[in-house]
Amino acid sequence: MSIPKKVKLVEVGARDGLQNEASPVPAEVKIKLIHLLQEAGLPVIQATAFVSPKWVPQMADNAQVMAGITRLSGVQYPVLVPNRKGLDAALAAGCKEVVIFGAASEAFSKKNTNCTIAEGIARFSEVCHEALAQGLKVRGDMSVCLGCPYEGPVDPAAVARLAREFEQLGCYEITIADTIGVGTPGKMRAVIEAVTRHIAIEKLAVHVHDTYGQAIANIYAALECGIATFDSSIAGLGGCPYAKGATGNVATEDVLYLLDGLGIETGVSMSQLLLAADYICHHLSRPTSSRAGKAIANKMAA
Ligand code: HMG
Ligand code: MG
């Protein structure tokens, strides 16, 4: 068993973390959050989503956010795009990386993107063709890989099929997401095994939500399989508006505590991360959901 010596952390707090917030979060708060996150050393920060504002009003300020951030060289700022309209807007905003997203279950595909899995692939075929022609990088996120809120268990073979489609579309990275946080380590391993029959492990990332408190265990299982890219969200913010009952993403602080403890290099500073968490929690008038964040704050207060 050998776990990676270095891990890439993909921060999704400004997008997944905030997309489900009921009250609008001003663009300037999102911009400041992104600046604090990049000061913490995060190499990839999902900045926003160019999705329909009718579906996700919180991301309606996407262009304003992209225009407001000071981009650092060496940091990537991917954005979600669901269709050609989203891609065109992302290109106009100067984005260099886009994320397409599909689901491993038909019911979730319909709820989240109003189309079947096959229709989604057809949409993304045009998006990827154009994005790659314009020199952009494309990542593919696969939702509900460890369970669906509408269909229940998901066959790992369905995840592997979607992963192959995304690879053929030209995705440089493909993400196994536990959208509703129902997975446990055995299931995570089974899905990774099914996908790695077709896709190199180096191309895979894992994105977990912590609904059932299994996120860190699932990340550890994925590390043992050789996954070296993980999504996480500052202060554990997050949730998908179309995933009933799902709570936040795994907290970046908790993942960093795990990785630091394992001696795995990330380039991310815990103390700077906590400043970003304080900032956004203060704005949302909500305590952090990060266990490590709370523990460190308590220790410092004592
Ligand atoms: P639709 O209603 O079938 O599409 O939605 P439509 O083409 O009929 O468009 C409806 C309206 O939206 C039209 O406006 C379009 O112009 C507009 P109207 O003519 O009525 O005034 N529109 C857009 N506006 C701006 N940007 C666009 C865009 N597209 C259409 N790109 C659609 C289909 C895919 C657009 C919609 O379902 C959608 O936007 N879905 C996105 C849902 C979403 O963002 N979910 C959360 C992100 S995924 C996630 O969180 C999971 C992840 O974290 C991994 C995990 O945990 O699983 C990534
Ligand atoms: Mg998510």
Side-chain angles (χ1 to χ4, degrees), residues 66 71 77-79 90-91 93-98 131 135-138:
M66 287 312 293
R71 298 185 210 184
Y77 305 91
V79 298
L91 283 166
C95 299
K96 303 282 181 238
E97 177 173 339
V98 292
L136 269 62
K137 291 173 82 178
V138 183

Side-chain angles (χ1 to χ4, degrees), residues 15 46 78-81 97-103 121 124 127-128 132 137-143 145 159 162-177 195 199 203-207 229 231:
R15 194 276 305 168
Q46 266 187 20
V79 298
L80 263 61
V81 297
E97 177 173 339
V98 292
V99 182
I100 59 169
F101 52 103
I121 301 291
F124 289 135
V127 168
C128 290
L132 295 170
K137 291 173 82 178
V138 183
R139 184 196 218 213
D141 282 5
M142 307 188 294
S143 288
C145 296
V159 181
L162 184 61
R164 291 176 82 178
E165 297 275 14
F166 277 0
E167 187 178 51
Q168 277 161 18
L169 291 179
C171 293
Y172 80 98
E173 191 166 271
I174 296 168
T175 316
I176 296 171
V195 175
I199 313 282
K203 278 194 139 183
L204 296 180
V206 157
H207 170 121
T229 301
D231 293 6

Side-chain angles (χ1 to χ4, degrees), residues 15-16 19 177 179 207 209 240 249:
R15 194 276 305 168
D16 202 342
Q19 69 185 6
T179 312
H207 170 121
H209 288 250
C240 173
N249 296 72

Side-chain angles (χ1 to χ4, degrees), residues 208-211 233 236-239 246-250:
V208 287
H209 288 250
D210 201 23
T211 320
S233 172
L237 297 174
T247 53
N249 296 72
V250 66

Side-chain angles (χ1 to χ4, degrees), residues 15-16 19 49-56 80 82-83 85-87 101 108 112-114 123 141-144 177-179 207 209 239-242 249:
R15 194 276 305 168
D16 202 342
Q19 69 185 6
F50 286 84
V51 296
S52 169
K54 296 198 167 137
W55 283 63
V56 186
L80 263 61
N83 53 19
K85 185 166 184 161
L87 174 66
F101 52 103
F108 193 78
N112 198 36
T113 48
N114 202 24
R123 266 183 206 168
D141 282 5
M142 307 188 294
S143 288
V144 297
D178 184 8
T179 312
H207 170 121
H209 288 250
C240 173
Y242 301 101
N249 296 72

Side-chain angles (χ1 to χ4, degrees), residues 27 41 103 147 192 220 248-249 270:
I192 293 171
Y220 192 71
N249 296 72
M270 179 67 91

